[in-house]
Amino acid sequence: LALSNTQLSVAVIGGTGMVGKELLKQLVNSKRVVDDPRSMSKRKVLDDLRLDFKVTALSRSSGMLLSYDGLDVLSDDLWNSADVQPTDLEALARFLAQDYNGNRVVIDCSASQVVA
């Protein structure tokens, strides 16, 4: 009996800055494998975790995107979507609380003290 991977819903605040963009790029490219041959034991650990990452929320100072189905973070038109709404951290918290997936993580890549 093969068990499915655990899906982790990821919300990234500050996802359009340098740190946020790099984090998103690494999440997309990771495929749960560490490419550094010096970290073979870590590769096994990552594979054993059987995690799938799904970015469900992206936020920046001028707006946010929310989707339980996941966001295409590499799309050039992502922020041109009609789905962009004003940034509201309380609305983001409600969105995350209502996510059927109980495996959630919020990553703050902003430099904002308001978020912290």
Side-chain angles (χ1 to χ4, degrees), residues 12-68:
V12 181
I13 299 172
T16 58
M18 288 179 61
V19 173
K21 284 182 190 176
E22 183 61 28
L23 170 72
L24 292 170
K25 187 169 77 175
Q26 288 182 24
L27 278 176
V28 169
N29 293 330
S30 72
K31 298 181 179 136
R32 299 182 333 264
V33 175
V34 177
D35 292 328
D36 184 355
R38 296 171 293 179
S39 57
M40 289 300 286
S41 62
K42 289 181 183 176
R43 179 177 303 166
K44 171 103 172 82
V45 170
L46 287 175
D47 285 345
D48 287 348
L49 287 175
R50 300 178 58 103
L51 289 175
D52 287 331
F53 299 103
K54 180 170 69 169
V55 178
T56 57
L58 282 175
S59 176
R60 61 184 184 182
S61 60
S62 62
M64 66 181 184
L65 287 161
L66 309 173
S67 172
Y68 293 121

Side-chain angles (χ1 to χ4, degrees), residues 7-13 23-24 27 52-59 65-67 70-71 73 92 95-96 99 101 103-108:
Q7 193 169 80
L8 185 65
S9 292
V10 179
V12 181
I13 299 172
L23 170 72
L24 292 170
L27 278 176
D52 287 331
F53 299 103
K54 180 170 69 169
V55 178
T56 57
L58 282 175
S59 176
L65 287 161
L66 309 173
S67 172
L71 299 166
V73 297
L92 175 61
F95 171 82
L96 294 171
D99 190 348
N101 183 357
N103 303 309
R104 298 172 225 134
V105 63
V106 177
I107 303 170
D108 179 12

